[in-house]
Amino acid sequence: MPNQQNQDQVKSLTELMLKAKTVTVVDYSGTGVNDQVKLRRQLKAVGGDMLVTKNTLIDLAAGKGKLTDSLTGMNAVVFSNQDEVVGIKVLFEFHKATEKLEIKQALMGDQVLSPAQVEALSQLPGKKELIAMLISRLQGPAYGLVNVLQAGQRNLIYVLQAIVKKGETKVEAKLEIKKLKSEKTAPILPNKPEIQINATQTSTDKIATNSITTDRSEVKEVSSIVN
């Protein structure tokens, strides 16, 4: 039976596990003190924590037998308190950068996650990333709606301008038709040069007629004298 100190540690560890979104078992063998300090600092920055303790205590706090496959070697438990993903992301980033730290099973609520499932979980966006994506999605339709409304106003202006232009064209066309009609109904007068030519011709005819008449009179007079 565990002594009182171990019982207190199990109770404290159990409370930490219940508060955490995910609890991950890691083998920290091969890491130095500086590595562990650095990892703890990175975890605290995202609302996580790491606790080194005995395997038997981890087994009791998690529920006897749940994490048995992972409880061999030098293990610690990592708590991700803000969301299910962010603490696990830090573990995989640390492992990638240092090639240290074996990431084993994890608890998410009552579900036990295998190492493969833990790695898959680390590739999902965290809470802050999801919020940023959600805001972007929400802003997208709003921005589109603004564009649609503005486009409607612009299109209305274009339509009104087209109507006005069309109206001006109709007015110009009516004026042109009216002008053509007025020209058609007006009396057609002869050109002045023709009138002058006719007048000249009339005067010439009169002079010629007078000359002929004069010539006949003179012939008569000459005939009378001769006779």
Side-chain angles (χ1 to χ4, degrees):
M1 185 174 183
N3 58 35
Q4 187 62 44
Q5 182 179 1
N6 288 340
Q7 289 180 9
D8 292 341
Q9 289 181 358
V10 169
K11 182 180 178 180
S12 176
L13 186 57
T14 302
E15 291 176 352
L16 292 173
M17 287 183 176
L18 291 174
K19 291 179 182 179
K21 302 291 184 181
T22 54
V23 179
T24 308
V25 179
V26 296
D27 187 336
Y28 65 91
S29 59
T31 61
V33 175
N34 292 335
D35 292 328
Q36 294 175 26
V37 170
K38 182 179 179 180
L39 179 58
R40 281 194 172 93
R41 187 183 301 118
Q42 291 175 350
L43 287 168
K44 286 184 180 297
V46 296
D49 199 3
M50 184 176 76
L51 178 65
V52 176
T53 188
K54 296 178 182 179
N55 289 330
T56 54
L57 300 182
I58 296 173
D59 186 34
L60 290 172
K64 195 168 181 64
K66 282 187 176 182
L67 300 174
T68 302
D69 294 342
S70 297
L71 298 178
T72 56
M74 300 172 58
N75 294 309
V77 284
V78 174
F79 306 99
S80 184
N81 298 318
Q82 288 188 355
D83 63 51
E84 291 79 2
V85 178
V86 64
I88 295 174
K89 280 182 174 294
V90 170
L91 293 177
F92 277 90
E93 288 170 0
F94 180 85
H95 171 72
K96 185 177 179 180
T98 62
E99 295 184 354
K100 299 176 182 178
L101 207 69
E102 180 186 355
I103 302 166
K104 299 182 176 181
Q105 291 174 300
L107 285 175
M108 187 169 64
D110 294 331
Q111 185 178 2
V112 179
L113 303 180
S114 67
Q117 290 174 322
V118 175
E119 184 176 3
L121 188 62
S122 71
Q123 297 172 0
L124 297 176
K127 184 177 180 180
K128 291 183 178 180
E129 293 172 306
L130 287 173
I131 291 174
M133 291 169 61
L134 178 60
I135 292 173
S136 177
R137 292 291 179 89
L138 291 175
Q139 287 178 341
Y143 180 73
L145 178 60
V146 170
N147 281 340
V148 169
L149 294 175
Q150 290 179 346
Q153 293 175 351
R154 289 194 298 268
N155 291 337
L156 178 60
I157 292 171
Y158 294 151
V159 169
L160 291 175
Q161 288 177 344
I163 291 173
V164 170
K165 188 174 181 180
K166 187 176 181 181
E168 291 175 351
T169 304
K170 284 185 176 180
V171 170
E172 291 175 358
K174 287 181 179 180
L175 291 174
E176 188 66 24
I177 291 169
K178 188 175 181 182
K179 182 180 178 182
L180 291 173
K181 286 182 178 180
S182 63
E183 290 178 354
K184 186 176 180 180
T185 55
I188 301 174
L189 297 176
N191 293 330
K192 290 182 179 181
E194 292 180 359
I195 295 172
Q196 291 175 355
I197 291 170
N198 292 336
T200 305
Q201 288 177 351
T202 303
S203 300
T204 305
D205 292 342
K206 285 181 179 181
I207 293 169
T209 302
N210 292 333
S211 298
I212 293 168
T213 304
T214 305
D215 292 340
R216 286 179 180 176
S217 299
E218 290 177 351
V219 169
K220 285 180 180 181
E221 289 179 358
V222 170
S223 297
S224 62
I225 291 170
V226 171
N227 293 330

